[in-house]
Amino acid sequence: MASLLRLHYRLAMRDAKVAFAAHNYAQAFQLLERAHVLGQRNVLAHWQSHWWMLRCGLRQGHRREVFGQVLRLFAVVPGFVLGWVPLGNTGGANVSALQPMPITDPTLRVIVPTYSCWWDVLIRIAVVAMIVFVWF
């Protein structure tokens, strides 16, 4: 993760944890959505943002959010391995986990590099195909 991206991710996570500790779960969740957009191409940061979203959902008693976050926690590693990390997706259960989303926050648009997850998927398919070809 680039240093500017990492810095802003850490700041969003820090602020989210402060809001969570103050029992301001709605604000914590908004900050976690920001952290998700910033960290979603880093497998550990991506997983951590979903973990904290799950915790917010549990504290608020939002069953749909809890269920959605549990699914997303299991999907983080396969999604990373397969290259499917849709740009701008905020990570909450109220949006499709597979849907790229426009980045509406102007500060995030400057920090988050644009990319196509299709390119990442194609690269990983090519790598797997080469490994299979060499192996067999």
Side-chain angles (χ1 to χ4, degrees):
M1 188 182 311
S3 59
L4 183 62
L5 200 60
R6 183 181 303 115
L7 171 66
H8 283 274
Y9 168 79
R10 288 180 179 165
L11 291 172
M13 285 302 297
R14 181 203 63 198
D15 293 347
K17 290 174 183 179
V18 168
F20 185 88
H23 306 285
N24 190 345
Y25 304 117
Q27 180 186 15
F29 198 86
Q30 286 180 330
L31 289 160
L32 291 167
E33 288 178 317
R34 179 181 180 83
H36 182 269
V37 171
L38 290 163
Q40 68 188 61
R41 291 192 84 192
N42 176 292
V43 70
L44 294 176
H46 192 178
W47 194 90
Q48 184 181 34
S49 65
H50 284 297
W51 171 251
W52 279 91
M53 286 180 178
L54 171 63
R55 294 184 67 187
C56 280
L58 285 167
R59 290 288 171 98
Q60 292 178 297
H62 293 164
R63 291 184 197 152
R64 182 171 183 236
E65 192 63 48
V66 169
F67 181 72
Q69 292 309 322
V70 168
L71 291 177
R72 283 162 174 76
L73 284 167
F74 282 110
V76 166
V77 173
F80 180 78
V81 169
L82 296 174
W84 190 262
V85 183
L87 175 68
N89 189 290
T90 55
N94 63 328
V95 298
S96 168
L98 305 176
Q99 181 65 41
M101 299 172 68
I103 299 175
T104 56
D105 183 333
T107 59
L108 288 182
R109 267 190 259 141
V110 173
I111 300 166
V112 176
T114 59
Y115 61 88
S116 167
C117 59
W118 287 109
W119 182 249
D120 290 348
V121 170
L122 289 173
I123 290 172
R124 284 168 172 83
I125 289 171
V127 168
V128 168
M130 287 191 306
I131 290 170
V132 168
F133 179 74
V134 170
W135 188 265
F136 297 103

